[in-house]
Amino acid sequence: KAGGRGGGPLDTLTWSPYAGATNGYTVQRSTVNGGPYTTVGTSTSPAFNDQTPGLVNGGTYYYVVQPDNANGAVCTSNQVTIIIP
């Protein structure tokens, strides 16, 4: 399950490690509740700093995280909503 906090033009996400994520995690973001989501990056640890273009102060963003293994995505996390102040 993902969780996070907003701050400036940066979203910081952290989540509980998933044992099956042998190839790390794929982080996806949307500006629409429920998606569709676009991949904004990957992480080898259960944390990600989203500094991709398009983040704005006062913006609302929706994230999901996919643990990955050699076969691809294992599952998808619950959506988390972050509002940048």
Side-chain angles (χ1 to χ4, degrees):
K1 181 175 179 181
R5 60 179 170 77
L10 165 71
D11 278 350
T12 301
L13 296 147
T14 58
W15 55 89
S16 300
Y18 184 81
T22 54
N23 285 10
Y25 304 88
T26 299
V27 180
Q28 297 183 319
R29 180 183 76 211
S30 179
T31 56
V32 178
N33 189 4
Y37 303 97
T38 301
T39 298
V40 292
T42 59
S43 178
T44 56
S45 68
F48 181 75
N49 290 325
D50 185 0
Q51 300 178 70
T52 57
L55 295 177
V56 295
N57 290 337
T60 301
Y61 303 96
Y62 305 93
Y63 289 88
V64 293
V65 176
Q66 295 178 326
D68 299 319
N69 65 21
N71 296 317
V74 177
C75 60
T76 300
S77 72
N78 293 331
Q79 176 183 277
V80 64
T81 303
I82 296 179
I83 300 172
I84 299 178

